[in-house]
Amino acid sequence: MAKWTAFPHLGEYTFDAASVKKHWTRLHAGDAEPLPKDKAVLEAWALFHSGDFQKATEAGIAAGGDGITVANKATAIYANYLEKKEKNKLDLFMEVAQRAEAQAGEDAKNPNAWYWQAYSLGRYSQGISVAKALAQGLGTKVKDALEKTIKLQPKHADAHVALAAFHAEVIDKVGSLIGGMTYGAKRDIGLRLYQDALKLNPHSAIAMIEYANGMVMLEGDKRMKEATKLYEQAAGSKPMDAMERLDLELAKAELDD
């Protein structure tokens, strides 16, 4: 594995297995992942929350079982925020999609096996262009996997955000008529899913950011003021771990543009 770009605030968020266990509910309010029983998996999560995404991926793969979820989340978050080269980023998303698909094959009732498959394919689709991804049938795969995630775990806030973003992106790219008829994308469903996500995980900066983006995609510039307010809320949130810090930095960067 080539050396990954380091998390820029390494050392600011330090977790071990015990502190991850203690703060588990708060740290996993977004993905609703159950507390692992395996100490090796907990230690992989400690690396993830501390921002050592490469070591978290390696430790998760080595632990196997539920450790695959850590590896998938660490790789996906790293690819999304820190990988500079577009080709590497797309390769990493495909790596996650393949691992998650294999995980879902072994354990079809694991919500995060479906979620990380959908998330990585969704980000891959954005990278190659949503229109191209829809033509390749990736949109339907993403939507199905997210609906499965929510059916298996109705409190999965992040899956609500991702499914809402699917509705928003499709309508934004192909319009509400084709979006609705061909892909089942609906404006009202998208907006409701964003709202549900924030009810499930009110402190989530990424849910605020995605809702702001989706609101403008679905309802136009008339919602810009509300969208900006959501970005400001996200930028003022208090991150508890490395991933939340990356979400916060994203909100700040967008506001500065």
Side-chain angles (χ1 to χ4, degrees):
M1 205 186 264
K3 194 154 170 53
W4 289 2
T5 303
F7 170 62
H9 311 283
L10 217 50
E12 286 184 38
Y13 305 91
T14 50
F15 286 89
D16 57 18
S19 57
V20 167
K21 202 172 179 178
K22 186 182 172 188
H23 298 289
W24 186 266
T25 306
R26 164 67 179 81
L27 289 167
H28 290 269
D31 66 6
E33 176 72 4
L35 178 70
K37 294 178 175 72
D38 185 342
K39 193 167 186 287
V41 177
L42 259 180
E43 281 166 358
W45 278 118
L47 289 163
F48 169 81
H49 293 298
S50 305
D52 202 335
F53 299 119
Q54 187 164 19
K55 279 190 182 162
T57 298
E58 290 163 353
I61 290 168
D66 293 337
I68 299 302
T69 304
V70 192
N72 287 343
K73 187 166 187 172
T75 306
I77 296 304
Y78 168 78
N80 194 45
Y81 288 107
L82 296 170
E83 178 51 58
K84 305 279 190 287
K85 291 180 182 163
E86 194 60 25
K87 188 194 176 301
N88 291 354
K89 186 181 285 203
L90 294 177
D91 288 348
L92 288 168
F93 284 136
M94 284 315 287
E95 219 174 84
V96 173
Q98 284 157 5
R99 266 201 310 258
E101 196 170 353
Q103 190 184 23
E106 285 171 25
D107 181 9
K109 289 188 175 165
N110 181 337
N112 278 317
W114 295 104
Y115 174 71
W116 287 110
Q117 195 181 149
Y119 178 96
S120 54
L121 287 176
R123 291 296 189 206
Y124 178 84
S125 299
Q126 288 171 330
I128 64 167
S129 98
V130 172
K132 198 185 276 187
L134 289 173
Q136 289 177 18
L138 291 177
T140 309
K141 203 169 180 182
V142 167
K143 183 172 183 272
D144 290 350
L146 288 169
E147 286 172 347
K148 225 166 234 163
T149 307
I150 293 169
K151 197 176 174 187
L152 289 165
Q153 176 46 275
K155 291 183 175 172
H156 201 300
D158 293 346
H160 282 76
V161 173
L163 188 53
F166 167 85
H167 285 271
E169 293 259 10
V170 169
I171 290 168
D172 183 55
K173 297 300 177 286
V174 301
S176 51
L177 186 68
I178 295 170
M181 285 168 63
T182 313
Y183 305 104
K186 306 268 185 240
R187 179 183 150 277
D188 293 351
I189 294 176
L191 291 170
R192 192 185 70 237
L193 284 160
Y194 284 124
Q195 290 154 8
D196 289 347
L198 278 167
K199 279 182 200 148
L200 288 165
N201 191 10
H203 66 259
S204 171
I206 196 63
M208 293 171 204
I209 291 166
E210 293 285 357
Y211 185 21
N213 294 343
M215 200 188 275
V216 174
M217 273 189 228
L218 291 167
E219 305 222 289
D221 289 350
K222 63 179 181 189
R223 302 297 295 271
M224 196 57 86
K225 203 174 171 181
E226 284 166 86
T228 304
K229 203 175 167 189
L230 278 166
Y231 261 97
E232 286 165 354
Q233 260 179 278
S237 63
K238 294 207 168 13
M240 194 167 177
D241 72 349
M243 181 188 77
E244 290 184 9
R245 177 63 177 270
L246 291 167
D247 295 337
L248 171 94
E249 300 286 353
L250 174 66
K252 283 184 172 172
E254 292 287 330
L255 283 169
D256 288 345
D257 276 355

